[in-house]
Amino acid sequence: MKPCLQLVFFTCIFLTWHAEAEFFTSIGQMTDLIYAEKDLVQSLKEYIRAEEDKLAQIKSWAEKMDVLTSKSTSDPEGYLAHPVNAYKLVKRLNTDWLELENLVLQDTTNGFITNLTIQRQFFPTEEDETGAAKALMRLQDTYKLDPETLAQGNLPGTKYRSSLTVGDCFGMGKTAYNDGDYYHTVLWMEQALKQHDEGEETTVSKVEILDYLSYAVFQFGDLHRAMELTRRLITLDSTHERAGSNLRYFEKLLEKEREEEEKEKSINKTMTATEPVVQNGAYGRPLDYLPERDIYEALCRGEGVKMTPRRQKRLFCRYHDGNRNPHLLIAPFKEEDEWDSPHIVRYYEVMSDEEIEKIKQLAKPRLARATVRDPKTGVLTVASYRVSKSSWLEEDDDPVVAKVNQRMQQITGLTVKTAELLQVANYGMGGQYEPHFDFSRRPFDSTLKSEGNRLATFLNYMSDVEAGGATVFPDFGAAIWPKKGTAVFWYNLFRSGEGDYRTRHAACPVLVGCKWVSNKWFHERGNEFLRPCGRTEVD
């Protein structure tokens, strides 16, 4: 393929992409970057071939001229005595050397540079790189992975192993540092320093690593270690002004601490020194905004699941015909209890591989960063606790959408007339949705008046996930793992219409794999007689 045709072809592909950032929020869309990089490699190889051809011509000319000038310089007058030699000398210096000059000055970079320039505008941005780095840190925290495990690429279920260089680890540390996250700064700068000390070749200097590491350690109040690291930095670069200034500052602080200690001792008071929180040789992870963080992440790791033998005895498998729905009498669905209270069930073989691929094909061009509603303003916005891309499919988009909707109606016995459109979601690097409720608790939600609240959730798993990606319920300790072609269903509201707060759930970060799901939210309106009120508020 010629460079110009190749350029037009890939330009057409790129114009179908969203020109915005956030590739890291969807593995499905990140696959396009693989092909873009493949094209750039091909373009680069073509440039190298062109350069090699040019150099081969120049080399051939140089070798020919070397032989000729060796002969001519040995006897200049004798050589020029032949009129043809005299003519060719004049011609070479007037014409041939000019052609060689033009060949040397010929720019073979145009095709590659033009291709790279056009494609670069659709490349991941600084925001993507930051998001990808934070995704790795999120996986590190959730699944309790030390930096060395991630750096070596030792992850379960991986087919293509990859590792992080000193420069990669340093980049991770810088991202954390720029975000004021000194906990991860220390972890990743220490890993970068460790690999550097082991002799790995890199363009990053130890001075740069120690500069960030010493300050991050100081932020944890570990003055002695900060001084130790700073002194090591100064040993490597005695002219480093900031390090010298920091060391003098640290020494003053340490002297002040000693004076205060002596003062406390002199008046016989018990002194309570503030020590940095250290766990297993590392600084403690700071607390954050999520109260059930520890429970949520433990469930994601498969720990703390409260499935007791007594509860297990109350769970059954059966064939489900949708309360004798005519469409399901001959071919009922396999139904399995995942939890007893609240009742969560899984259905098997809900979607075929062909239907899944069609749904993904329809959704992929429309994927956009998933949003959440701001609890104060009611405005939809992106949030760090929901990392995925989603799109909404209508029945008119393709017959398979209508078919899947009808199937969910038959299984649940609820009407899809007031249900929301089919939402398709693809999770990106460390893709997650932290604990949340599906039902609305906001009086200003406009759909509450017309369609009622979200009565129930029907969640289709459209892919297997090699590691991570579970749906967990922190309140009662349940973890449900994705299985391609299956679906889980639960009610978000009691029969009274009150929200069942036990159904607060989360989509765990995807550790390895590509997670695709689709879901249908059924609303109250139209289902009043299909799921009538109970006798009490919590029936």
Side-chain angles (χ1 to χ4, degrees):
M1 185 183 287
K2 294 181 179 180
C4 60
L5 294 177
Q6 203 174 37
L7 192 61
V8 171
F9 174 70
F10 277 94
T11 300
C12 291
I13 289 179
F14 273 121
L15 287 176
T16 65
W17 290 6
H18 293 287
E20 58 194 47
E22 300 183 342
F23 279 102
F24 74 95
T25 60
S26 168
I27 293 295
Q29 284 191 329
M30 283 184 71
T31 56
D32 294 329
L33 298 177
I34 295 290
Y35 297 107
E37 189 170 47
K38 174 68 174 176
D39 173 56
L40 284 177
V41 171
Q42 185 62 33
S43 181
L44 181 60
K45 289 168 71 175
E46 289 176 3
Y47 159 66
I48 292 170
R49 279 195 294 269
E51 283 287 341
E52 288 174 340
D53 290 343
K54 185 175 84 170
L55 286 171
Q57 292 180 57
I58 296 170
K59 184 179 179 181
S60 176
W61 170 264
E63 289 172 349
K64 185 174 70 173
M65 286 299 99
D66 185 42
V67 173
L68 192 150
T69 54
S70 295
K71 185 190 298 184
S72 64
T73 54
S74 65
D75 182 11
E77 287 188 3
Y79 181 81
L80 291 173
H82 195 298
V84 172
N85 285 339
Y87 164 74
K88 291 185 73 172
L89 175 62
V90 172
K91 178 180 178 293
R92 277 198 307 274
L93 292 173
N94 182 60
T95 303
D96 295 354
W97 279 97
L98 180 62
E99 289 178 357
L100 179 68
E101 180 184 3
N102 290 333
L103 175 62
V104 171
L105 294 174
Q106 181 181 325
D107 187 2
T108 59
T109 65
N110 282 340
F112 171 67
I113 294 300
T114 304
N115 195 7
L116 179 61
T117 301
I118 288 181
Q119 295 199 31
R120 186 184 289 122
Q121 62 185 312
F122 303 101
F123 277 10
T125 64
E126 189 73 28
E127 181 184 352
D128 278 297
E129 186 174 344
T130 298
K134 288 183 178 180
L136 280 182
M137 295 175 207
R138 181 163 54 250
L139 294 175
Q140 176 184 359
D141 294 339
T142 303
Y143 297 103
K144 289 191 173 180
L145 304 172
D146 58 75
E148 187 167 9
T149 298
L150 274 177
Q152 293 178 351
N154 293 328
L155 301 178
T158 50
K159 184 178 180 182
Y160 304 100
R161 183 172 169 178
S162 185
S163 58
L164 296 174
T165 64
V166 169
D168 295 331
C169 296
F170 181 71
M172 292 281 291
K174 277 184 68 176
T175 297
Y177 180 88
N178 293 335
D179 201 42
D181 177 4
Y182 301 113
Y183 170 72
H184 288 106
T185 302
V186 171
L187 291 176
W188 284 103
M189 288 301 174
E190 284 180 335
Q191 182 62 29
L193 187 61
K194 179 177 182 292
Q195 292 180 209
H196 205 306
D197 288 340
E198 290 171 352
E200 182 180 315
E201 291 186 10
T202 179
T203 57
V204 179
S205 69
K206 286 186 181 181
V207 168
E208 292 176 279
I209 299 171
L210 288 166
D211 193 15
Y212 282 95
L213 180 56
S214 59
Y215 186 77
V217 165
F218 168 68
Q219 290 297 317
F220 276 97
D222 196 344
L223 200 52
H224 290 278
R225 186 157 179 245
M227 290 178 65
E228 175 192 332
L229 293 166
T230 306
R231 287 194 180 105
R232 183 179 174 186
L233 189 163
I234 293 173
T235 302
L236 296 170
D237 182 3
S238 59
T239 63
H240 201 289
E241 293 184 11
R242 183 169 54 252
S245 176
N246 285 347
L247 184 59
R248 289 190 293 273
Y249 177 64
F250 295 158
E251 287 172 343
K252 286 181 181 178
L253 288 178
L254 191 59
E255 183 61 31
K256 187 178 178 181
E257 280 188 8
R258 286 170 179 164
E259 289 176 359
E260 289 178 354
E261 285 180 19
E262 292 298 325
K263 188 178 179 180
E264 291 291 338
K265 288 178 182 179
S266 66
I267 57 176
N268 296 322
K269 286 189 176 179
T270 304
M271 184 178 163
T272 56
T274 304
E275 295 292 336
V277 180
V278 180
Q279 298 172 351
N280 299 323
Y283 300 106
R285 181 180 168 192
L287 298 176
D288 68 3
Y289 55 87
L290 194 62
E292 66 261 67
R293 171 73 64 189
D294 290 343
I295 297 173
Y296 155 57
E297 292 183 349
L299 288 170
C300 290
R301 297 190 297 271
E303 303 167 5
V305 178
K306 299 177 182 177
M307 179 57 71
T308 62
R310 183 177 180 182
R311 171 170 278 121
Q312 186 75 49
K313 291 179 180 179
R314 296 199 289 267
L315 306 182
F316 299 93
C317 297
R318 64 189 72 82
Y319 282 104
H320 175 75
D321 60 12
N323 198 20
R324 298 194 62 77
N325 185 298
H327 296 89
L328 304 185
L329 286 176
I330 296 177
F333 282 93
K334 298 172 185 175
E335 181 184 76
E336 178 184 18
D337 293 329
E338 287 281 356
W339 208 259
D340 56 343
S341 180
H343 194 205
I344 304 173
V345 295
R346 187 195 294 264
Y347 297 102
Y348 287 81
E349 299 172 8
V350 175
M351 294 177 69
S352 67
D353 288 347
E354 292 76 16
E355 288 172 332
I356 287 173
E357 289 307 311
K358 186 62 179 179
I359 293 290
K360 287 165 62 175
Q361 179 186 336
L362 293 169
K364 192 173 179 181
R366 311 180 193 183
L367 289 174
R369 178 73 185 265
T371 57
V372 295
R373 197 174 295 278
D374 188 297
K376 295 180 180 178
T377 64
V379 177
L380 290 174
T381 182
V382 299
S384 60
Y385 56 82
R386 188 178 190 185
V387 181
S388 64
K389 283 190 174 181
S390 62
S391 61
W392 301 82
L393 301 183
E394 301 186 43
E395 293 195 352
D396 294 339
D397 291 333
D398 193 274
V400 73
V401 179
K403 189 176 180 181
V404 169
N405 283 345
Q406 189 65 27
R407 189 176 301 145
M408 289 186 285
Q409 177 172 283
Q410 292 165 358
I411 292 174
T412 62
L414 302 173
T415 180
V416 295
K417 291 181 180 179
T418 56
E420 296 178 41
L421 299 178
L422 183 67
Q423 181 182 228
V424 182
N426 177 227
Y427 290 81
M429 286 189 61
Q432 63 162 3
Y433 192 177
E434 288 181 356
H436 61 282
F437 298 100
D438 277 355
F439 63 88
S440 176
R441 296 169 295 142
R442 299 174 292 270
F444 51 73
D445 199 329
S446 59
T447 59
L448 290 178
K449 294 181 180 179
S450 58
E451 297 166 357
N453 214 329
R454 286 175 175 170
L455 173 65
T457 297
F458 196 102
L459 178 63
N460 297 295
Y461 293 117
M462 302 201 304
S463 66
D464 292 314
V465 179
E466 285 81 353
T471 305
V472 299
F473 295 77
D475 186 80
F476 49 89
I480 300 173
W481 304 94
K483 293 179 185 176
K484 186 179 181 181
T486 71
V488 291
F489 174 79
W490 69 85
Y491 283 102
N492 298 304
L493 307 179
F494 291 111
R495 288 181 177 273
S496 63
E498 292 297 318
D500 187 346
Y501 283 81
R502 297 174 300 173
T503 61
R504 181 171 167 86
H505 61 285
C508 293
V510 177
L511 179 57
V512 178
C514 182
K515 182 181 177 182
W516 284 88
V517 299
S518 62
N519 68 278
K520 174 72 72 174
W521 280 307
F522 292 91
H523 281 253
E524 291 177 285
R525 297 295 174 265
N527 289 304
E528 294 89 345
F529 296 104
L530 298 175
R531 194 201 186 216
C533 292
R535 295 178 180 178
T536 69
E537 190 175 320
V538 293
D539 280 350

